[in-house]
Amino acid sequence: MHKQSQIPAVRGECSIDRQEPQSHCNLSASYKVSAHPRQAQPQDANAIPLSLAQQRIWFLDQLQGGSPEYNLPEALRLRGRLNLKALEQALNAIVARHEILRTCFVAGDLGPVQVVMAAPRISLPVEDLSELSEEAQRERLSAAFISEWDRPFDLQHGSLLRGRVMKLGPEDHVFLRTFHYMVFDSRSAGIFNRELSLLYEAFDAEWENPLLPLMFQYGDFAIRQRESMGSSSIATHLQYWRDQLAGIPEALELPMDRPRSERRTNAAQDCRYHLQGEALTIFRKFCADHSTSPYIVLVSVFAILLRIYAGSDDIVIGSPLSDREGSDFEDLIGFFDNLVVMRFQIDPAWAVETMLHSVQSYAKQAHQHRGLPFQRLVEELAPSRRLNMLPLFQVEFWVEDKPPLPPAFKTLTVEQMSNERRRVGFDIEVDVLLHHGSLELRWIYSTDLFDRWRVEQMARHYVRLLRGAIENPSLSVRNLTLLDDAERR
């Protein structure tokens, strides 16, 4: 974001000593959880421990000296009468409601901590592009979006939310907002959009804030997670994952267009494919007929694809899973995603339907042991750390069967604008969005390693394998083909 959109400075000054966080510091000993809101009551009223997922990202940010890798920008086209004052009021009400949106992250005596600050006053600067040609407007919008991907947040100062408005015409605006992953995840997007809709409508009509105060805050989740680290269930989870991941390959060796450099840049591009119409109907029927979820079918075929590309029957990938256990944290904005390790030890003689049963059984057990944060798993297994490759797995696969809806305003038509990914933390990340009428596959890949043609070919091969598996589930894994006639010739 350009400098005119910088959030004003907030109360309090935070400083960071660039040091590695202690892995097993007992931060929860300094905190207690009450039965009433504000739940987290630290002895130092301004400090709360990081969740383990936050601690992993915080450490990487310190190691890299500030990185835009975890920026999450979104652009919304707003057509109709825009009440800018109401939009600003709505944003400020959300920041005041969710403590995590006014939190900075600093190094404390026992490791990094969250410091919740007084709510800043967010102003939405407006950049007027209405006098420019359509082509010039597109160029300015593209440049603005790229800047959001590329400009890092400072974790030790201010809110990890930025926003601005770009005016294209009297009733045509683009609302550009960016969060940092430390305070936001995929479920948070739906919560943010829903609250923004309610609050904007209320303030546009000059009504009071219609939302009730939250009973819990993200700090409560972090404290509760820290307290659970000493429980007997953690030992059970650890033993399960030690057994499951014993002897996993050091890396997934996919064909690459360039060797790994000593240090990855996380630069990325994406390509997209869709299944819709009859193909999507057939896919949904297949899932129903085999009593399995779309995720199981999609990730199983993905594992088969990687088996062919890597030439290995032992495939390890990661899948994000929301850690919002129970109802206490369902309505909170924050970073609740945890990474679950999926290991596929594939027998090529298996029929596709046998593969599905095996993956479904593994996924069920993995879900039962999801209570172990990924950072703790990495610390316990202590694989060799390399700056150019992630530990345990290098490919992520994620299915979102309920993608967050954009905000809905009575006086505005809202359109989500194209969002090309410019950062990726993995070699390849595949995001599957199951909309009502389509299945969208987003392949985000590291440009350090892959050319676009290779990933596009991989995506086409995946769709071909998926269709083959659905059409003939009794066929053995080794006999599934990913080549079309031209490629076969």
Side-chain angles (χ1 to χ4, degrees):
M1 191 162 310
H2 299 307
K3 62 183 180 180
Q4 69 263 33
S5 64
Q6 179 65 42
I7 302 301
V10 297
R11 179 179 63 84
E13 181 68 20
C14 305
S15 63
I16 286 185
D17 296 324
R18 293 193 178 279
Q19 61 187 52
E20 182 173 350
Q22 301 178 27
S23 299
H24 301 290
C25 53
N26 185 18
L27 289 172
S28 62
S30 301
Y31 301 83
K32 59 183 179 179
V33 178
S34 69
H36 308 285
R38 162 88 271 273
Q39 297 293 311
Q41 298 291 337
Q43 290 177 359
D44 175 356
N46 292 319
I48 301 168
L50 273 63
S51 69
L52 291 183
Q54 284 181 323
Q55 181 170 302
R56 174 173 58 89
I57 294 181
W58 181 88
F59 172 68
L60 291 173
D61 184 83
Q62 303 307 294
L63 189 66
Q64 297 166 359
S67 169
E69 176 182 349
Y70 297 101
N71 288 8
L72 299 170
E74 182 181 61
L76 298 174
R77 188 82 173 260
L78 307 177
R79 291 186 173 92
R81 180 185 61 82
L82 174 63
N83 185 335
L84 183 61
K85 179 182 177 181
L87 186 61
E88 286 184 346
Q89 285 181 289
L91 278 179
N92 281 285
I94 293 173
V95 171
R97 175 177 168 81
H98 295 272
E99 288 184 358
I100 192 64
L101 297 183
R102 43 191 171 91
T103 294
C104 67
F105 302 87
V106 302
D109 294 338
L110 297 177
V113 295
Q114 304 182 51
V115 178
V116 179
M117 299 169 291
R121 176 65 190 173
I122 295 179
S123 297
L124 282 178
V126 179
E127 185 176 356
D128 192 347
L129 308 180
S130 58
E131 299 299 321
L132 301 180
S133 66
E134 289 188 12
E135 182 179 356
Q137 288 180 347
R138 284 194 297 269
E139 290 176 355
R140 293 285 286 273
L141 288 172
S142 177
F145 206 81
I146 289 173
S147 77
E148 287 307 307
W149 277 115
D150 292 344
R151 187 161 72 90
F153 283 97
D154 182 351
L155 300 189
Q156 66 176 324
H157 296 110
S159 172
L160 299 187
L161 159 65
R162 302 191 294 243
R164 62 168 141 167
V165 173
M166 307 183 81
K167 182 179 179 180
L168 306 183
E171 295 193 345
D172 191 0
H173 299 80
V174 173
F175 172 43
L176 183 57
R177 59 88 176 148
T178 306
F179 288 94
H180 192 281
Y181 207 15
M182 286 280 279
V183 302
F184 208 71
D185 60 14
S186 57
R187 289 278 296 277
S188 296
I191 296 168
F192 174 82
N193 290 344
R194 183 171 65 250
E195 293 189 358
L196 186 69
S197 302
L198 292 170
L199 290 165
Y200 177 85
E201 293 295 335
F203 296 142
D204 184 43
E206 299 186 352
W207 297 340
E208 297 294 320
N209 185 333
L211 299 178
L212 297 175
L214 292 166
M215 288 294 293
F216 292 87
Q217 293 288 342
Y218 186 84
D220 304 314
F221 166 76
I223 293 170
R224 187 177 298 182
Q225 185 185 65
R226 292 284 179 172
E227 291 174 339
S228 72
M229 289 298 97
S231 67
S232 59
S233 64
I234 293 299
T236 302
H237 294 325
L238 274 173
Q239 189 57 52
Y240 169 81
W241 287 112
R242 285 195 192 102
D243 294 341
Q244 289 294 325
L245 303 180
I248 62 172
E250 181 179 352
L252 181 66
E253 299 294 346
L254 296 174
M256 298 175 181
D257 298 294
R258 284 166 292 282
R260 294 184 187 275
S261 59
E262 292 184 1
R263 188 163 184 166
R264 61 185 295 134
T265 69
N266 297 315
Q269 291 184 0
D270 64 20
C271 59
R272 307 185 185 198
Y273 283 80
H274 292 82
L275 284 182
Q276 48 195 358
E278 183 180 2
L280 181 60
T281 300
I282 293 172
F283 169 75
R284 291 189 182 278
K285 184 177 186 303
F286 179 85
C287 294
D289 291 345
H290 289 79
S291 301
T292 189
S293 67
Y295 171 79
I296 296 298
V297 176
L298 294 166
V299 78
S300 297
V301 174
F302 186 63
I304 294 171
L305 176 78
L306 296 181
R307 171 188 173 271
I308 298 172
Y309 266 77
S312 170
D313 294 329
D314 197 350
I315 302 297
V316 182
I317 68 172
S319 280
L321 183 70
S322 179
D323 206 11
R324 298 169 184 258
E325 294 186 12
S327 60
D328 291 347
F329 309 121
E330 287 294 316
D331 295 326
L332 289 185
I333 290 173
F335 180 29
F336 293 90
D337 284 352
N338 190 20
L339 286 169
V340 174
V341 184
M342 298 290 289
R343 185 181 190 181
F344 305 87
Q345 294 174 291
I346 304 170
D347 184 343
W350 279 346
V352 170
E353 51 197 1
T354 304
M355 172 87 176
L356 295 180
H357 290 311
S358 175
V359 172
Q360 190 162 28
S361 176
Y362 181 97
K364 182 178 180 181
Q365 294 179 51
H367 190 269
Q368 292 171 349
H369 292 279
R370 72 189 188 280
L372 184 70
F374 178 72
Q375 176 64 18
R376 182 67 182 275
L377 179 61
V378 171
E379 291 167 357
E380 291 293 331
L381 295 183
S384 57
R385 304 293 185 91
R386 296 165 57 181
L387 291 177
N388 64 354
M389 188 172 68
L390 292 175
L392 301 184
F393 56 84
Q394 297 77 51
V395 174
E396 183 188 71
F397 189 87
W398 173 66
V399 175
E400 176 61 81
D401 58 356
K402 294 181 180 178
L405 297 174
F409 307 120
K410 292 179 181 177
T411 62
L412 294 167
T413 300
V414 181
E415 174 191 350
Q416 286 180 307
M417 301 184 70
S418 178
N419 179 0
E420 182 179 348
R421 286 283 294 273
R422 294 181 56 81
R423 293 286 183 273
V424 67
F426 304 91
D427 293 355
I428 292 177
E429 175 185 330
V430 179
D431 298 343
V432 183
L433 304 181
L434 272 170
H435 302 279
H436 177 70
S438 71
L439 184 154
E440 181 181 1
L441 296 155
R442 296 180 182 175
W443 292 71
I444 306 105
Y445 59 96
S446 168
T447 53
D448 293 344
L449 305 175
F450 303 103
D451 288 334
R452 187 175 188 87
W453 72 266
R454 187 178 298 278
V455 179
E456 288 179 341
Q457 181 186 66
M458 189 180 296
R460 290 195 305 271
H461 286 166
Y462 175 74
V463 172
R464 197 166 295 127
L465 281 176
L466 180 61
R467 287 172 175 165
I470 290 173
E471 291 170 0
N472 195 351
S474 61
L475 195 66
S476 67
V477 167
R478 67 159 59 96
N479 288 329
L480 282 174
T481 180
L482 47 70
L483 303 179
D484 61 19
D485 292 339
E487 290 172 324
R488 191 175 293 108
R489 286 194 299 270

